[in-house]
Amino acid sequence: MEPDFERRLIRSMSGCSSLSSSPFSSSTSSPSPIKCSDRFVPLRSLAQPSAFFVDQEQTYKGPMTDKKTSRDLSSSITTTTTNASGNFSNHVTTSAADRTKDILTYQTLLQNEMFGTQIDTLYDDYYTNNSYNNTSNVHLHATASSNTILDPMNSGTINVQLNTTAGNGQTHTTSISGLNGILTQSFQQRLPYTNTNSNLLRTRDPNTIFRYSARRNADDLHYSPYSLSLLSPASTRLLRSPRKQLRKIPKTPFKVLDAPELQDDFYLNLVDWSSTNILAVGLNASVYLWNANTSNVTRLCDLQTESDTVTSVAWSDRGQYVAVGTHKGIVQIWDAQTNRKTASFPRHTARVGALAWNDHCIYSGSRDRFILQNDTRSNKQERKLAGHRQEVCGLKWSPDRQLLASGGNDNRLLVWNQSCINPIQIYTDHTAAVKAIAWSPHQQGLLASGGGTADRYIRFWNTLTAQSLQCIDTGSQVCNLAWSKHSNELVSTHGYSQNQIVVWKYPSMLQLARLTGHTFRVLYLAVSPDGESIVTGAGDETLRFWNVFTKCRANKESDSVLNLFNKIR
């Protein structure tokens, strides 16, 4: 072959537009560029297998990171503290979440095929909720073990720890760093998974140490040995496993109501939502009822004639009566249907800031440090509970109506039962006033509490064993707590200095959403009877309604390219 022709041929294959070497060649006279030849030139862009699936840089690229720094960020976890590093955007789209799932799924497939880790299930709660996780410290009082450690911020690093227990009881740990060949000594964020086939080696004969056989699992019987698939059974189960879709929580309220003269006082409880879908709000000296079904507003009572103001309101369990606490220490019972006062208990010597119903009995907490139990049928005082040293600002009954939790300005959380006049449990870990109290409807004996400005922690307690479970620093004053009725989630409202509303996933305490809109402390919170919406009140004299919880998640199919059933017709 002539040297000139070979040179022009090579130039045309490398992207030149013409075989002619003249720069003045006309576009009409020049031949078309050569698209193919008899030589096979491999493309380097296809050498990276992950290029067929996802764009890793675009998925993990946050507003404050670039391609260079995204590889340097890491998250560290120990048995007592979790620190999340990096800045993530709170607005995560479904497509971005799908790409994140694809990245972790692809990395897990590499682990299965290269290291034999046999991971067959990924929990979507990790990499969907972790996108909303802001910088926070989670303190766990319980240890957990895991076989695989994955750094979600570094898509090229997978650290695998294989724990093998010898016959003498000693545990040997082997660390393997794959994909990029970099060994690391730092603990990374745990990747939760279900390992149904450990594939650990065991000896056939106890007297022989050189012959081994793999453990058989019952799930392997469903995998045909004649399958033409190149993937292992665990990888096949991983791709066939269903995926939960990311739940979108609206960032704006769906309704805003004006609440003039709504007091900006941390120790008061002026908003409550009844089981009949009627909202009670205490505004200065009056209590107003807002019907959520018809949007009608009625005034229940007016205390101006008594020169008194409303400091707390609480609906009965059936939604028929409203208990009203006043600044003079009086507890009044009103019939919401007839707008008539049925009972009055003037037994406190200071304002009543907390109320809690238990059947026909009303419990009231006051600034006089006492908790009084009054029977609305006999108008008699049955018990007087003395345990707090300062004002009582929080009262909540457990779902089974057996335990009463009370919080006070003395930074203490007390738990009472129905038979004793002394508290059965006392928790003193908070360093500020405890107003936010909530019992979990999903786990018996699980109690959550939040501290004031000097504390800022949400703490969880096991009242069955009187032990502290975990705590998280929220960074601002915790004003209220409420659990979801349908899922293991809870919402918290905050004051100084961020005035935000946060939806948490328990027990990982990952932030599902962070809602803002109030310009003052979010001091009041109530949950709708269907358990899907909440209402918040603040000193900015507004009531805002949010959709934060759902009864069930949508069964929408994912558009992931790794979904085996996505392309089936």
Side-chain angles (χ1 to χ4, degrees):
M1 182 181 297
E2 296 182 1
D4 296 337
F5 179 77
E6 184 179 3
R7 190 183 310 110
R8 290 195 304 269
L9 180 62
I10 293 176
R11 289 183 58 190
S12 63
M13 294 176 58
S14 62
C16 295
S17 61
S18 174
L19 290 175
S20 176
S21 60
S22 174
F24 304 102
S25 58
S26 174
S27 58
T28 58
S29 61
S30 61
S32 60
I34 298 178
K35 297 297 183 180
C36 59
S37 67
D38 56 348
R39 296 186 180 183
F40 173 73
V41 181
L43 299 179
R44 296 181 178 273
S45 60
L46 301 180
Q48 185 181 4
S50 61
F52 291 103
F53 299 98
V54 289
D55 186 0
Q56 300 182 11
E57 295 294 341
Q58 294 297 328
T59 301
Y60 285 115
K61 186 176 180 182
M64 301 298 293
T65 60
D66 53 14
K67 294 184 178 180
K68 181 180 296 184
T69 58
S70 62
R71 298 186 181 94
D72 299 333
L73 295 177
S74 62
S75 56
S76 60
I77 184 170
T78 63
T79 57
T80 58
T81 306
T82 301
N83 293 326
S85 302
N87 240 337
F88 295 95
S89 175
N90 290 332
H91 305 283
V92 179
T93 61
T94 304
S95 59
D98 289 338
R99 290 197 299 267
T100 306
K101 298 176 186 178
D102 291 343
I103 288 177
L104 295 183
T105 303
Y106 175 72
Q107 291 176 345
T108 306
L109 290 178
L110 290 183
Q111 293 183 69
N112 290 343
E113 304 305 321
M114 297 175 61
F115 307 127
T117 52
Q118 301 297 324
I119 304 175
D120 56 3
T121 302
L122 288 177
Y123 295 132
D124 295 297
D125 293 337
Y126 174 80
Y127 44 80
T128 55
N129 298 338
N130 192 44
S131 301
Y132 298 100
N133 189 15
N134 297 328
T135 304
S136 58
N137 298 326
V138 181
H139 302 275
L140 303 178
H141 296 271
T143 59
S145 61
S146 179
N147 290 13
T148 303
I149 298 178
L150 172 66
D151 183 3
M153 295 298 302
N154 192 347
S155 60
T157 303
I158 295 180
N159 300 323
V160 181
Q161 290 188 356
L162 302 178
N163 299 328
T164 306
T165 304
N168 55 4
Q170 298 179 355
T171 302
H172 305 279
T173 303
T174 304
S175 298
I176 303 175
S177 180
L179 296 183
N180 59 359
I182 300 177
L183 297 178
T184 179
Q185 300 294 334
S186 62
F187 292 96
Q188 307 295 334
Q189 186 82 10
R190 288 190 181 94
L191 173 65
Y193 65 89
T194 302
N195 192 347
T196 60
N197 186 5
S198 59
N199 200 23
L200 297 179
L201 300 179
R202 60 180 178 86
T203 60
R204 294 181 179 177
D205 188 356
N207 298 326
T208 305
I209 63 174
F210 298 103
R211 291 186 299 177
Y212 296 90
S213 64
R215 288 183 179 177
R216 298 299 300 273
N217 196 311
D219 294 338
D220 294 340
L221 300 178
H222 301 283
Y223 184 79
S224 174
Y226 305 103
S227 175
L228 299 179
S229 176
L230 300 178
L231 300 178
S232 62
S235 298
T236 304
R237 288 192 298 268
L238 175 64
L239 294 178
R240 291 177 178 176
S241 60
R243 293 190 178 186
K244 296 180 180 179
Q245 296 300 311
L246 178 64
R247 178 167 62 90
K248 294 183 179 180
I249 299 178
K251 302 295 182 179
T252 57
F254 65 89
K255 184 182 289 292
V256 179
L257 298 178
D258 291 331
E261 298 184 302
L262 184 62
Q263 300 187 49
D264 185 21
D265 195 328
F266 176 79
Y267 299 97
L268 306 186
N269 294 272
L270 298 176
V271 177
D272 196 17
W273 210 328
S274 73
S275 58
T276 57
N277 208 15
I278 299 178
L279 188 69
V281 184
L283 302 178
N284 197 8
S286 303
V287 175
Y288 292 89
L289 303 182
W290 179 76
N291 193 321
N293 298 323
T294 61
S295 298
N296 293 331
V297 179
T298 58
R299 186 165 64 179
L300 178 66
C301 63
D302 188 2
L303 306 181
Q304 287 185 352
T305 58
E306 304 174 7
S307 301
D308 206 350
T309 58
V310 179
T311 55
S312 58
V313 294
W315 283 95
S316 61
D317 297 336
R318 298 182 180 180
Q320 181 180 0
Y321 298 100
V322 181
V324 179
T326 69
H327 189 270
K328 292 184 177 180
I330 303 174
V331 178
Q332 301 179 2
I333 309 299
W334 289 78
D335 191 334
Q337 298 178 355
T338 61
N339 289 3
R340 296 178 56 185
K341 183 170 62 175
T342 60
S344 179
F345 305 98
R347 296 186 174 96
H348 284 289
T349 58
R351 68 178 183 184
V352 179
L355 295 170
W357 284 86
N358 190 346
D359 200 9
H360 296 283
C361 295
I362 180 66
Y363 289 74
S364 56
S366 173
R367 182 181 273 183
D368 60 10
R369 305 170 299 170
F370 297 111
I371 301 174
L372 300 183
Q373 175 187 351
N374 297 289
D375 194 333
T376 58
R377 296 168 298 181
S378 60
N379 294 338
K380 293 182 179 180
Q381 176 181 329
E382 296 187 353
R383 283 199 305 170
K384 184 177 183 180
L385 307 179
H388 287 282
R389 302 170 183 173
Q390 294 187 34
E391 180 177 5
V392 180
C393 51
L395 283 178
K396 283 295 171 61
W397 277 99
S398 60
D400 57 2
R401 304 298 182 181
Q402 298 299 318
L403 297 177
L404 174 66
S406 64
N409 199 30
D410 54 359
N411 310 341
R412 301 203 303 172
L413 176 66
L414 308 183
V415 179
W416 316 75
N417 59 15
Q418 293 186 354
S419 58
C420 299
I421 60 173
N422 296 320
I424 60 175
Q425 295 176 10
I426 300 177
Y427 301 106
T428 60
D429 292 2
H430 285 289
T431 58
V434 182
K435 175 191 176 184
I437 302 173
W439 291 88
S440 172
H442 311 289
Q443 183 176 345
Q444 184 180 5
L446 178 58
L447 177 62
S449 60
T453 306
D455 182 75
R456 304 176 303 179
Y457 274 86
I458 297 178
R459 300 182 181 272
F460 297 88
W461 318 88
N462 185 350
T463 58
L464 302 180
T465 60
Q467 293 180 350
S468 176
L469 297 179
Q470 68 182 65
C471 63
I472 178 173
D473 186 3
T474 63
S476 57
Q477 179 187 40
V478 184
C479 301
N480 295 278
L481 287 172
W483 288 86
S484 171
K485 298 179 181 179
H486 312 290
S487 59
N488 217 7
E489 300 172 357
L490 72 157
V491 60
S492 61
T493 65
H494 300 270
Y496 301 124
S497 57
Q498 302 179 25
N499 305 329
Q500 80 275 25
I501 304 165
V502 182
V503 183
W504 308 87
K505 179 70 176 180
Y506 183 82
S508 61
M509 294 308 293
L510 299 176
Q511 290 189 17
L512 302 182
R514 182 176 178 271
L515 312 176
T516 57
H518 285 288
T519 58
F520 282 68
R521 296 180 297 174
V522 189
L523 298 177
Y524 311 110
L525 170 68
V527 183
S528 63
D530 60 2
E532 296 185 4
S533 305
I534 63 171
V535 58
T536 57
D540 55 8
E541 298 183 352
T542 61
L543 296 175
R544 299 175 185 264
F545 296 80
W546 316 78
N547 281 325
V548 296
F549 300 132
T550 57
K551 292 184 178 180
C552 60
R553 295 192 177 185
N555 296 325
K556 181 181 177 181
E557 284 293 334
S558 174
D559 294 332
S560 170
V561 296
L562 295 179
N563 189 355
L564 294 181
F565 304 101
N566 193 30
K567 303 302 181 181
I568 297 179
R569 294 183 178 178

